[in-house]
Amino acid sequence: MSSSTHATLGVRQAQKLKTRQALLDAALRLLEEQSLSSLGLREVTRVVGVAPAAFYRHFRDMAELGVALVEESLGSLHVMIRAVLAEQQEAEEVIDRSVEAVADHVRRHPAHVRFIARERHGGVRAVREAIAAELARFGEEVAAALAAQEVSQGWSAEDVRMLAGLYVDHLVMTASAFLEASPEEGQAIADTARRQLRLISLGRRHWRAA
Amino acid sequence: MSSSTHATLGVRQAQKLKTRQALLDAALRLLEEQSLSSLGLREVTRVVGVAPAAFYRHFRDMAELGVALVEESLGSLHVMIRAVLAEQQEAEEVIDRSVEAVADHVRRHPAHVRFIARERHGGVRAVREAIAAELARFGEEVAAALAAQEVSQGWSAEDVRMLAGLYVDHLVMTASAFLEASPEEGQAIADTARRQLRLISLGRRHWRAA
DNA sequence: GGATTCAGTAAACAACTGTTTGCCACGGGG
DNA sequence: CCCCGTGGCAAACAGTTGTTTACTGAATCC
């Protein structure tokens, strides 16, 4: 019933990690209906059922908790991206798989996605910067994958990066579009996203060839 | 020294509009460093130099003020968009003009742009919906302009809308990229944006032709 | 097994919040 | 000219906030 951390970490640290995670979970839940800069420390501790002062044993302030949430949120996305990039397939196939993967990810971790979309341009600098840094790493990773494909022969590194940026931006836009949409609207969004990606990949194939 | 509203509106209403605008201005300024859901009513009135209770003479709550800010912010953008769409020119030319127009707009109304980027996915539902509605109208407008071009012959209405959506999203992304960037970084961002638009317009020309 | 570390506690702090009340002063319509 | 409508004010309201303090009790170390 208990997690694997118990065996290797000792009761003491395990308990600490547990309430730390509880704080993160509570915050993420509360952030579905407000933004980080208005989320109160007491609000979070109240949900967890712990004294306000206990918060300081884990985070200096809410901004620090926010940064921790960024890592947690984008970590799962990172896994998904790698999985999609790993497959070497037909362009059309890759597009379908990508859009489906994004839809699935949003369905599974809606709070994480909402948090990222909301705080990407939000009011807390440290969190904004953490998200920007992580998304930049995504871009590099996508760029590397793109460069390895035959279609990219003759492309400058900079051009590959701009294409990767376009893909990452499109991914984030699509994800947050899924977020605030009913299931049947989701179908239409997936459709639009697929066509947009198809158009981009079309432009890609004709780049510097026209 | 006074505005033109005096002549047509009477001292009474003119004064009211003046403090209403002062409230909006103060809020917009404060929102450069936080998000709407954490902006306090007293905070705004304090900056304006007016009693807290005076706020209620103009807005029911901060959400209502936020919606007013949306109209103000996207109004100016609307003007810019129309101007760019109006010119019928070579594709390459249109791209350059667009990117420059966006850069210029961000330079001139940074607070407005920041507000939209921040609250587009922010914590206040009414404001989110107002922004979404306004951006949808942008999309329609862009779609209409695109449909009128020769390149779009044979395109389904839905395909035109998805392309328009891609442009609008790209515009917002580019604008907020300009926002949190130094002048020399701005140069690079403009360059990337141009290449991305070029790639999209390339895909557009080959749509359903391959 | 005794000493020590430390996650979590309870209580108090001043500062702040949104909202309501009754009031005033003054511009504008009759 | 006077009276009504109303934008703005001062004061008080009950709640809430972040942060500090001194503390307790149990897991850990030697």
Side-chain angles (χ1 to χ4, degrees), chain B residues 8-192:
Chain B
T8 144
L9 244 60
V11 179
R12 203 74 190 264
Q13 299 198 48
Q15 268 300 337
K16 179 168 187 183
L17 275 186
K18 205 167 161 185
T19 69
R20 185 192 135 103
Q21 191 58 45
L23 287 171
L24 288 171
D25 291 349
L28 196 61
R29 188 162 83 74
L30 291 167
L31 283 174
E32 300 217 41
E33 285 167 353
Q34 63 189 303
S35 29
L36 186 62
S37 73
S38 74
L39 180 60
L41 162 167
R42 290 182 104 106
E43 212 174 334
V44 176
T45 56
R46 194 183 310 130
V47 169
V48 175
V50 88
F55 183 91
Y56 296 104
R57 302 286 184 198
H58 303 274
F59 308 101
R60 195 185 312 278
D61 48 26
M62 287 296 302
E64 198 171 295
L65 179 144
V67 171
L69 271 183
V70 171
E71 294 168 18
E72 183 177 292
S73 297
L74 288 183
S76 57
L77 222 181
H78 219 262
V79 172
M80 184 211 77
I81 298 261
R82 277 183 198 278
V84 173
L85 289 181
E87 328 178 5
Q88 280 278 32
Q89 291 177 333
E90 205 59 38
E92 200 68 16
E93 189 77 16
V94 171
I95 288 176
D96 290 356
R97 300 274 298 140
S98 298
V99 173
E100 199 183 345
V102 171
D104 200 63
H105 189 81
V106 174
R107 213 176 300 125
R108 270 218 271 271
H109 312 286
H112 279 161
V113 174
R114 173 167 286 119
F115 170 71
I116 294 299
R118 184 157 293 171
E119 301 303 328
R120 181 180 188 187
H121 306 286
V124 183
R125 157 168 290 125
V127 171
R128 265 191 331 242
E129 290 176 348
I131 294 179
E134 206 65 38
L135 287 184
R137 291 185 52 218
F138 272 47
E140 306 269 345
E141 195 160 344
V142 172
L146 291 178
Q149 297 174 340
E150 13 181 357
V151 203
S152 306
Q153 281 190 345
W155 281 54
S156 74
E158 208 177 358
D159 280 350
V160 173
R161 268 203 304 276
M162 80 89 181
L163 178 61
L166 196 53
Y167 277 135
V168 172
D169 284 351
H170 187 265
L171 179 141
V172 175
M173 298 304 272
T174 305
S176 70
F178 274 125
L179 211 51
E180 28 209 340
S182 56
E184 62 265 28
E185 287 172 332
Q187 197 63 24
I189 288 170
D191 227 66
T192 300

Side-chain angles (χ1 to χ4, degrees), chain A residues 2 5 23 31 62 64 68 71 76 78-79 84 110 114-115 119 123 130 152 162 165 172 175 178 191-192 198 202 204:
Chain A
S2 59
T5 52
L23 287 171
L31 284 174
M62 286 297 302
E64 198 171 294
E71 294 168 18
S76 57
H78 218 264
V79 171
V84 173
R114 173 167 286 120
F115 170 71
E119 301 303 329
S152 306
M162 81 87 183
V172 175
F178 274 125
D191 229 65
T192 300
R198 221 173 284 144
L202 211 52
R204 183 188 178 197

Side-chain angles (χ1 to χ4, degrees), chain A residues 12 15-16 19 42 50-51 53-54 57-58:
Chain A
R12 203 74 189 268
Q15 268 299 338
K16 181 169 185 181
T19 69
R42 290 183 105 106
V50 88
R57 301 288 182 197
H58 302 275

Side-chain angles (χ1 to χ4, degrees), chain A residues 20-157:
Chain A
R20 185 191 134 103
Q21 190 58 45
L23 287 171
L24 289 171
D25 292 349
L28 195 61
R29 188 162 84 75
L30 291 167
L31 284 174
E32 300 215 41
E33 285 168 353
Q34 63 188 303
S35 31
L36 185 62
S37 73
S38 75
L39 180 60
L41 161 169
R42 290 183 105 106
E43 213 174 333
V44 176
T45 57
R46 194 184 309 129
V47 170
V48 175
V50 88
F55 182 91
Y56 296 104
R57 301 288 182 197
H58 302 275
F59 307 101
R60 196 185 312 276
D61 48 26
M62 286 297 302
E64 198 171 294
L65 180 145
V67 171
L69 271 182
V70 171
E71 294 168 18
E72 183 177 292
S73 298
L74 288 183
S76 57
L77 223 182
H78 218 264
V79 171
M80 184 211 76
I81 298 261
R82 278 182 197 278
V84 173
L85 289 181
E87 327 177 7
Q88 279 279 32
Q89 292 177 334
E90 205 59 37
E92 200 69 15
E93 190 77 17
V94 171
I95 287 176
D96 289 356
R97 301 273 296 138
S98 299
V99 173
E100 200 184 344
V102 171
D104 199 63
H105 189 81
V106 174
R107 214 176 298 124
R108 269 219 271 271
H109 312 285
H112 279 161
V113 174
R114 173 167 286 120
F115 170 71
I116 294 299
R118 184 158 292 172
E119 301 303 329
R120 182 179 187 189
H121 306 286
V124 183
R125 159 168 288 125
V127 171
R128 264 188 335 240
E129 290 176 347
I131 294 178
E134 206 66 39
L135 286 184
R137 292 185 51 217
F138 273 47
E140 305 269 344
E141 197 161 343
V142 172
L146 291 178
Q149 297 175 340
E150 13 181 358
V151 203
S152 306
Q153 281 190 344
W155 281 54
S156 73

